[in-house]
Amino acid sequence: MSHSRNKQLRELFPNGFAIHHAGMLRQDRNLVERYFADGIVRVIVCTATLAWGVNLPAHAVIIKVCNVTDSCQVNCLLCLFSQGL
């Protein structure tokens, strides 16, 4: 298994989990996608970038949309891709 320079990914990979977002290095995003396709990563928590931009076969996809209203409105999208566990 290749090692990412991202500390969070290094901690998540051994447990079959990963994160994916636009702020990551392209190398790390590619690594997450490859590990998921190979079954090394079983669950990805990601942003809409992956949900709509990458074709990864998954057993289940959970999309959570949340709105936070304070002095400003924040819309977020959390996606969870899962292979059969």
Side-chain angles (χ1 to χ4, degrees):
M1 183 184 305
S2 281
H3 294 286
S4 169
R5 291 171 45 188
N6 182 306
K7 182 182 177 201
Q8 289 83 14
L9 287 178
R10 286 196 316 266
E11 292 173 354
L12 291 170
F13 281 157
N15 297 310
F17 290 90
I19 55 175
H20 190 291
H21 58 82
M24 295 171 62
L25 296 173
R26 167 54 60 192
Q27 173 185 345
D28 286 335
R29 290 193 310 261
N30 289 341
L31 189 62
V32 167
E33 293 165 19
R34 187 170 67 242
Y35 281 1
F36 186 77
D38 292 345
I40 296 167
V41 167
R42 306 287 298 219
V43 176
I44 301 174
V45 177
C46 64
T47 61
T49 304
L50 182 66
W52 281 286
V54 176
N55 182 16
L56 290 176
H59 176 74
V61 177
I62 300 168
I63 300 175
K64 166 78 173 149
V65 178
C66 56
N67 292 315
V68 178
T69 307
D70 255 322
S71 57
C72 64
Q73 186 178 24
V74 176
N75 294 315
C76 65
L77 178 65
L78 170 69
C79 301
L80 179 69
F81 282 70
S82 172
Q83 292 185 346
L85 299 176

